[in-house]
Amino acid sequence: VLALPLELSGNIGTLPELTDRGAGAFELKAALGQLAMDASGYMASLNSLAGSKLKLLVESPELEQVISDLGLSLPFSGPLAMQADFEAGETATNGTLKASVNDIELNGELELQPQKLQLEATVGPLDQLGALLEVQGLPAEAASIVGNVAFAEEGLMLEELSAAVASAKLKAEGTLASGDAASEIKVQATGDSLAELMASLPAVTFDASTTVTLAGSKTTLKPLQTRFGNSDIAGWLELDTAEGTDLKARLESKLIDAEELSASTADDPAPPPAGAAEPGAAAAAAPPADAATATTTAKSKYVFTEDPLPWEALQNNNLDILWNIGTLKSTTAELSKLVLQSTLQDGDLKAGLDFE
């Protein structure tokens, strides 16, 4: 960053305005490498922000270069354009935000009061955002976020905070505690189809609710109630990352319909583009594998690889999972009273399955 060219220019009002009231119009421009910023507006008074206005413009022809110049590692690229407008009143400051990176847009409105922030925003389309993050199958729709965040001595209070994509809705309320105190957030999710969230998921209704407790290195989901189509899961989960990863779970299910859950809207492969060769024809036309490679593979006495598998990673991870399932339905069988148990302690992995 220190090697990048920096340009600054602007004005901060007239001398009489500044000396009399500490107020006046201002405009400041800055350019750092390929990042340009322009801030303009009016400062009503140094004693009170009421009546003050601010417009902030940020632009870059290539965001990837800006991120690299700042020494960051983020998967965003393309042109960046952002505009934020703020106006301070007697009791609250109102603002709007518009930003875009390639075809991804963020639009938001907020109202900042002394002890509360109200916000409403949309971001999307999610499939374009997923492409940047290398996540496939997200919907070609925008996500919306609405809610209030109150500022208190004990931390941030989430009030009626919700997010939505198509018919799917997520609601959260609770406290993000400050300091060493535990945070507790109640979360509820509902939707008409999991496939609306990701194409590879089954097209079944869902609902889930839990209380998330964050205390130091420990995260707890208790009680946990979920339903996906005909299937259900209840119980609790506890994750502790103080030393490695320690996961404990106690789960109960009346029914797990594996046949229903294994179906997805993305099961059928998309037809090949017009003019594309049939898969069999492509295979027939492919040249034979390199003889040296084939010989090396044939000589290998291992199933997967000559290199040893990284079993040492298990030393830092512990598991203790018990899952009781009343009925498990699949395409080939129906099992009753399943007890699935798995433990991993100091690299010693044990798993058991009992059923009728």
Side-chain angles (χ1 to χ4, degrees):
V1 175
L2 295 179
L4 296 176
L6 174 63
E7 299 179 8
L8 295 173
S9 63
N11 62 78
I12 53 174
T14 65
L15 184 59
E17 288 178 317
L18 295 175
T19 55
D20 290 346
R21 296 182 293 113
F26 64 88
E27 183 175 9
L28 301 174
K29 295 184 178 182
L32 180 65
Q34 294 194 29
L35 185 65
M37 294 167 283
D38 187 331
S40 62
Y42 180 80
M43 177 69 73
S45 171
L46 293 179
N47 298 324
S48 173
L49 292 178
S52 298
K53 296 181 180 181
L54 169 66
K55 174 180 286 188
L56 177 64
L57 301 175
V58 180
E59 295 181 338
S60 173
E62 181 48 66
L63 181 58
E64 184 176 18
Q65 184 61 50
V66 175
I67 294 173
S68 177
D69 291 340
L70 296 176
L72 302 176
S73 179
L74 297 172
F76 298 104
S77 61
L80 165 69
M82 185 187 77
Q83 177 177 331
D85 294 274
F86 300 95
E87 182 173 356
E90 293 292 341
T91 60
T93 297
N94 294 285
T96 61
L97 173 66
K98 295 182 179 181
S100 65
V101 177
N102 280 332
D103 296 327
I104 304 170
E105 294 186 356
L106 170 65
N107 295 281
E109 297 181 359
L110 62 86
E111 180 180 293
L112 179 61
Q113 302 174 12
Q115 298 296 327
K116 180 180 289 188
L117 171 65
Q118 297 178 323
L119 60 90
E120 183 174 345
T122 60
V123 60
L126 294 182
D127 59 341
Q128 297 294 327
L129 181 60
L132 286 179
L133 301 175
E134 297 183 353
V135 177
Q136 303 299 319
L138 295 181
E141 298 185 43
S144 63
I145 302 173
V146 180
N148 304 326
V149 179
F151 310 113
E153 291 185 3
E154 56 267 35
L156 299 178
M157 314 293 290
L158 306 183
E159 302 175 350
E160 301 176 359
L161 188 65
S162 64
V165 178
S167 70
K169 294 179 175 61
L170 175 70
K171 297 181 179 180
E173 61 179 18
T175 303
L176 288 174
S178 58
D180 297 329
S183 300
E184 187 173 283
I185 305 170
K186 294 182 179 180
V187 180
Q188 181 179 12
T190 60
D192 294 339
S193 174
L194 282 171
E196 291 180 343
L197 301 178
M198 184 170 287
S200 59
L201 296 178
V204 297
T205 60
F206 65 94
D207 61 80
S209 63
T210 188
T211 297
V212 182
T213 303
L214 307 173
S217 62
K218 186 176 295 185
T219 301
T220 305
L221 279 65
K222 184 178 182 180
L224 174 66
Q225 296 281 346
T226 64
R227 179 173 293 278
F228 305 99
N230 296 323
S231 304
D232 64 278
I233 302 175
W236 58 267
L237 297 170
E238 181 181 277
L239 176 65
D240 193 342
T241 58
E243 298 180 2
T245 300
D246 192 341
L247 176 63
K248 296 180 181 179
R250 295 293 182 268
L251 304 173
E252 298 276 347
S253 296
K254 295 179 181 178
L255 170 66
I256 295 296
D257 191 339
E259 180 179 4
E260 180 186 51
L261 295 178
S262 63
S264 95
T265 57
D267 281 343
D268 298 329
E278 292 293 330
D290 181 79
T293 302
T295 302
T296 302
T297 303
K299 289 182 178 180
S300 175
K301 61 181 180 180
Y302 299 105
V303 176
F304 299 108
T305 174
E306 293 282 347
D307 300 323
L309 297 174
W311 296 112
E312 64 276 3
L314 297 179
Q315 299 295 331
N316 296 323
N317 298 281
N318 295 322
L319 295 174
D320 182 3
I321 298 176
L322 178 61
W323 189 2
N324 292 295
I325 304 174
T327 302
L328 173 63
K329 294 176 61 177
S330 70
T331 56
T332 57
E334 181 173 319
L335 306 177
S336 300
K337 297 182 180 180
L338 280 83
V339 179
L340 180 66
Q341 188 165 14
S342 178
T343 60
L344 172 62
Q345 187 70 35
D346 299 326
D348 184 12
L349 176 63
K350 296 180 180 179
L353 175 63
D354 295 323
F355 61 89
E356 294 183 0

